[in-house]
RNA sequence: UGGGACGUCGCCAAGUCGGUAAGGCACGGGAUUUUGAUUCCCGCAUUCGAAGGUUCGAGUCCUUCCGUCCCAGCCA
């Protein structure tokens, strides 16, 4: 048997081979499949195109697309675009790009608005069977009639209109005869229900605005609860996965589906077919799981939008943003995000994942995938006094310490080098095993040096360091085996290239920036040092050929990525993805 | 006595028909190391929100209580 390309690719094949720990939703699917309740699963990721996707959405994306891939099912990307005015084509394009970046391919791209004509027919059906009515109450009045959490609501005075009157009024709503907000179509359920979603919820409202996908075809738009379950059914969705806050909506989800009964009334869906779209009709089941939260991260769409609009960050793709385009630009590998989704599991427990879990997954991926290079962020000149002034040679440096297949590169070496300023201390603290006057240290790939002098400026600051290279300790020589307590990274002064390097840190200083119970807001918790721009970094010359989005480990410093938008060969710009794990700084700061 | 959901180690999270607490991350200790990185060992819940009860035996069953989250958009 030969491997044929999957007829319904939902994934690019780069995801993790193991589906990870089992969870209740996967178990439901396994059971459904085993019982023969369905032959194939069909999921969907249904974003509203009113903002950018963030790391929280990644959990849902990975769950929906991942499950479909795992069980050779299907997964659609559906824009839940039932509220024009808040939605924009800019967001739909960005969302598509983010889903692809995460490594997924949708089976079909749909819009809830593709089904507006069908929805309209479904609403008419509800009216005909006496389960929906046109209500003339305005928004304030509806609120008053709704009651409270502990008190039942009251029936609308328009609740018992005749079917004929309702049909006529609804048609006129569609025709644009009434002003925005003047009337709504409501479900006739139970104003005394303990579940407020069942107190005659709105089905359609009047909004005379242009829609990003349907233009000016409509002036009435369906509400989420009505549109979502029907969209699922029309697309043949088997498992409709959503977050916990929709648990209360499930009775309504089921109510609409049961009353409208699309499966046994397929002509309702004729308009979809007429558009050339398939409508495999199913009786989907909604299953809720807890959303992903990360500490020190803000994931509220509204506040993220405010950060952008108020210029607190440099746009949706600022490397400090938790948006998918932000973490992409920051250099996080998509595989690390997928792995996060895989490892955290799927439950109904509200949880907050420590940010370090994500960060360590990024390190785990990059340790294996990123080639090593040397760069000095805060250069101080080091002169090897026992080398000739014109000494120049090329050393060989392995690109990866654990993967010989990644080969090696040549690095320039000469009498004058740059090392990291913080790798030298005139008065060393306890436990410091880097360079000190009279002390020895290894220069990575080069050999062991001994510092013999500190040259200072008039103001007392250090101008340069003098050292001698132990020629017998050079790379490849027997003396290279000699142990010294520290190894430093460096670049050759004559050949290094200048670069801008941006050092990012968390955007917020508190674990829950969204918490305003102490009277403060997320704005009060912005980290003033969330970005530090280093303009005089020195890179080894080989980095001159780096291309945008290429990632490296700068030895001993961390992982860095060439900026997706601003990096240029003649003007390198690198973003720090994350630092290396560091068991020294913590000790040093004691 | 409004409705819905959830409470297993610092953070996640497994725990089939009740049979005597997986794993990951974090953390502590040690080994290796030309990155104080990586890797590798070892350790880390007599206890499952609490209290009763059923049982030879309960995280798993029953009762009560406590705590947390969600819902009163013509948002999704």
């Amino acid at each position: 048997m030969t491997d044929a390309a999957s007829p319904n690719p939902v994934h690019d094949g780069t995801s993790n081979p193991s589906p990870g720990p089992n969870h209740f939703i996967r178990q439901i699917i396994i059971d459904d499949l085993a019982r023969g309740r369905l032959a194939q699963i069909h999921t969907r990721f249904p974003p509203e195109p009113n903002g950018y996707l963030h790391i929280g959405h990644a959990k849902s994306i990975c769950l929906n697309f991942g499950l479909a891939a795992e069980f050779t099912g299907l997964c659609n990307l559906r824009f839940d675009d039932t509220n024009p005015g808040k939605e924009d084509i800019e967001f739909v394009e960005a969302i598509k790009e983010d889903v692809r970046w995460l490594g997924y391919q949708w089976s079909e791209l749909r819009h809830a608005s593709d089904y507006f004509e069908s929805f309209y027919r479904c609403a008419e059906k509800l009216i005909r069977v006496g389960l929906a009515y046109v209500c003339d109450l305005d928004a304030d009045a509806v609120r008053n009639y709704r009651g409270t959490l502990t008190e039942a609501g009251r029936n609308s005075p328009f609740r018992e209109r005749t079917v004929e009157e309702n049909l006529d009024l609804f048609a006129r709503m569609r025709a644009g005869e009434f002003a925005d907000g003047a009337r709504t179509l409501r479900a006739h359920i139970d104003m005394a229900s303990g579940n407020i979603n069942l107190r005659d919820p709105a089905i359609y409202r009047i909004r005379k605005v242009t829609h990003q996908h349907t233009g000016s075809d409509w002036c009435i738009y369906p509400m989420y609860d009505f549109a979502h379950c029907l969209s699922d059914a029309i697309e043949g969705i088997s498992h409709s996965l959503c977050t916990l806050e929709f648990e209360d909506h499930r009775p309504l989800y089921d109510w609409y589906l049961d009353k409208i009964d699309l499966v046994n009334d397929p002509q309702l869906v004729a308009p979809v077919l007429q558009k050339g779209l398939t409508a495999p009709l199913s009786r989907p089941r909604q299953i809720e799981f807890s959303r992903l939260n990360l500490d020190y991260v803000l994931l509220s769409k509204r506040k993220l939008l405010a950060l952008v609009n108020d210029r607190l960050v440099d746009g949706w793709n600022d490397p400090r943003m938790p948006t998918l385009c932000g973490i992409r630009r920051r250099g996080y590998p998509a595989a690390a995000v997928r792995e996060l989704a895989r490892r955290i599991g799927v439950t109904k427990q509200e949880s907050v994942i420590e940010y370090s879990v994500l960060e360590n997954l990024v390190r785990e991926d990059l340790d294996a995938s990123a080639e090593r290079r040397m760069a000095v962020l805060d250069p101080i000149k080091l002169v090897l006094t026992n080398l000739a002034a014109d000494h120049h040679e090329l050393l060989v440096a392995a690109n990866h310490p654990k993967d010989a297949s990644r080969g090696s590169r040549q690095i320039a070496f000469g009498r004058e080098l740059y090392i990291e300023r913080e790798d030298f201390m005139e008065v060393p603290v306890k436990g410091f095993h880097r360079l000190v006057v009279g002390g020895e240290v290894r220069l990575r790939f080069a050999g062991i040096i001994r510092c013999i002098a500190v040259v200072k400026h008039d103001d007392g600051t250090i101008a340069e360091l003098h050292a001698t290279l132990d020629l017998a300790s050079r790379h490849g020589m027997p003396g290279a085996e000699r142990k010294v307590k520290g190894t430093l990274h460096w670049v050759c002064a004559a050949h290094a290239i200048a670069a801008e390097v941006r050092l990012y840190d968390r955007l917020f200083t508190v674990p829950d920036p969204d918490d305003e119970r102490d009277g403060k807001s997320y704005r009060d918790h912005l980290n003033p040092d969330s970005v530090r721009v280093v303009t005089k970094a020195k890179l080894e010359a080989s980095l001159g050929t780096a291309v945008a989005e290429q990632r490296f480990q700068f030895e001993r410093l961390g992982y860095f990525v060439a900026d997706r938008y601003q990096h240029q060969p003649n003007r390198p710009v690198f973003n720090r993805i994350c630092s290396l794990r560091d068991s020294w700084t913590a000790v040093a700061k004691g």
Side-chain angles (χ1 to χ4, degrees), chain A residues 80-350:
Chain A
D80 221 332
D81 54 352
T82 57
N83 187 14
K86 290 174 74 178
E87 298 158 6
D88 195 289
I89 191 78
E90 172 199 354
F91 300 124
V92 348
E93 290 311 317
I95 288 169
K96 284 155 71 174
E97 182 176 40
D98 288 341
V99 171
R100 280 193 222 100
W101 174 72
L102 257 190
Y104 298 104
Q105 294 172 232
W106 43 88
S107 304
E108 290 205 42
L109 178 67
R110 295 288 180 99
H111 292 77
S113 56
D114 290 333
Y115 315 137
F116 279 178
E117 190 61 47
S118 277
F119 293 164
Y120 184 80
R121 291 193 186 187
C122 291
E124 284 184 321
K125 175 172 180 176
L126 247 20
I127 292 173
R128 270 187 258 108
V129 296
L131 291 176
Y133 62 96
V134 172
C135 181
D136 300 359
L137 258 23
D138 64 23
D140 284 336
V142 167
R143 193 177 314 120
N144 290 142
Y145 274 83
R146 188 156 33 228
T148 68
L149 291 178
T150 54
E151 298 163 42
R154 289 134 50 214
N155 288 166
S156 161
F158 306 98
R159 201 170 195 254
E160 305 305 333
R161 291 219 249 230
T162 64
V163 169
E164 292 63 37
E165 189 180 3
N166 283 137
L167 249 14
D168 172 64
L169 252 14
F170 187 45
R172 289 163 63 195
M173 278 171 64
R174 175 177 184 169
E177 286 189 29
F178 312 120
D180 281 14
R183 288 183 224 257
T184 56
L185 180 71
R186 292 225 263 163
H188 191 293
I189 308 181
D190 177 10
M191 289 305 292
S193 173
N195 182 343
I196 289 181
N197 294 299
L198 264 21
R199 317 242 267 227
D200 289 11
I203 299 174
Y204 268 93
R205 75 287 216 185
I206 301 170
R207 283 272 182 290
K208 293 178 175 172
V209 296
T210 302
H211 184 283
Q212 52 87 15
H213 192 60
T214 61
S216 54
D217 292 352
W218 295 85
C219 64
I220 56 172
Y221 291 93
M223 298 293 291
Y224 165 83
D225 290 298
F226 184 72
H228 202 89
C229 58
L230 291 173
S231 299
D232 284 341
I234 289 170
E235 291 174 26
I237 299 305
S238 58
H239 302 269
S240 181
L241 314 181
C242 63
T243 43
L244 256 23
E245 68 270 28
F246 292 103
E247 217 149 15
D248 284 346
H249 296 240
R250 187 167 7 112
L252 185 52
Y253 183 100
D254 290 332
W255 189 89
Y256 282 133
L257 289 180
D258 291 341
K259 301 306 180 191
I260 293 167
D261 194 19
L262 274 183
V263 176
N264 291 306
D265 205 349
Q267 76 276 11
L268 291 173
V269 128
V272 177
L273 273 11
Q274 280 158 20
K275 288 186 135 191
L277 299 173
T278 58
L281 300 187
S282 64
R283 173 50 232 256
R285 174 173 18 165
Q286 175 178 306
I287 303 169
E288 311 84 17
F289 62 93
S290 62
R291 60 169 71 245
L292 166 64
N293 294 298
L294 289 173
D295 59 9
Y296 295 97
V297 171
L298 190 65
L299 291 179
S300 135
K301 256 188 186 179
R302 201 193 97 234
K303 290 174 184 173
L304 252 20
L305 176 65
L307 285 178
V308 173
N309 288 342
D310 299 343
R311 305 293 178 115
L312 267 11
V313 294
D314 303 322
W316 288 101
N317 59 18
D318 184 300
R320 294 167 295 180
M321 288 285 273
T323 47
L324 294 182
C325 56
I327 64 180
R328 172 182 182 174
R329 188 171 176 198
R330 175 70 170 268
Y332 282 23
V337 177
R338 274 184 244 125
E339 181 62 11
L340 176 73
R342 196 183 74 91
R343 287 204 200 176
I344 59 176
V346 180
T347 69
K348 294 177 77 116
Q349 279 175 61
E350 308 255 6

Side-chain angles (χ1 to χ4, degrees), chain A residues 565-587:
Chain A
Y565 302 108
Q566 293 166 328
H567 174 83
Q568 290 170 36
N570 59 339
R571 189 184 172 283
V573 177
F574 281 88
N575 301 325
R576 182 171 68 189
I577 302 166
C578 64
S579 62
L580 249 31
R581 207 194 221 99
D582 179 8
S583 57
W584 162 245
T585 306
V587 173

Side-chain angles (χ1 to χ4, degrees), chain A residues 373-378 418-423 434 442-444 487-491 538 554-557:
Chain A
R373 293 292 185 272
M374 290 202 285
V376 177
L377 298 181
D378 186 9
Y418 288 118
I419 63 169
E420 209 68 63
R421 190 172 296 274
E422 66 169 27
D423 279 339
R434 276 113 96 146
R442 182 185 303 281
L443 292 183
R444 176 125 243 233
T487 298
L488 308 186
H489 60 278
W490 53 274
V491 295
K538 299 288 189 182
F554 289 172
E555 296 212 31
R556 300 213 308 134
L557 293 176

Side-chain angles (χ1 to χ4, degrees), chain A residues 381-393 412-418 443 449 452 464-469 490-495:
Chain A
K381 188 166 284 184
L382 173 73
V383 181
L384 298 178
T385 57
N386 61 333
L387 294 184
D390 63 349
H391 184 94
H392 172 68
E393 65 182 303
F413 178 70
R415 186 174 195 265
E416 296 196 346
L417 311 174
Y418 288 118
L443 292 183
I449 60 164
I452 54 172
E464 58 184 43
L465 300 172
H466 286 5
T468 54
L469 175 66
W490 53 274
V491 295
C492 179
H495 300 271

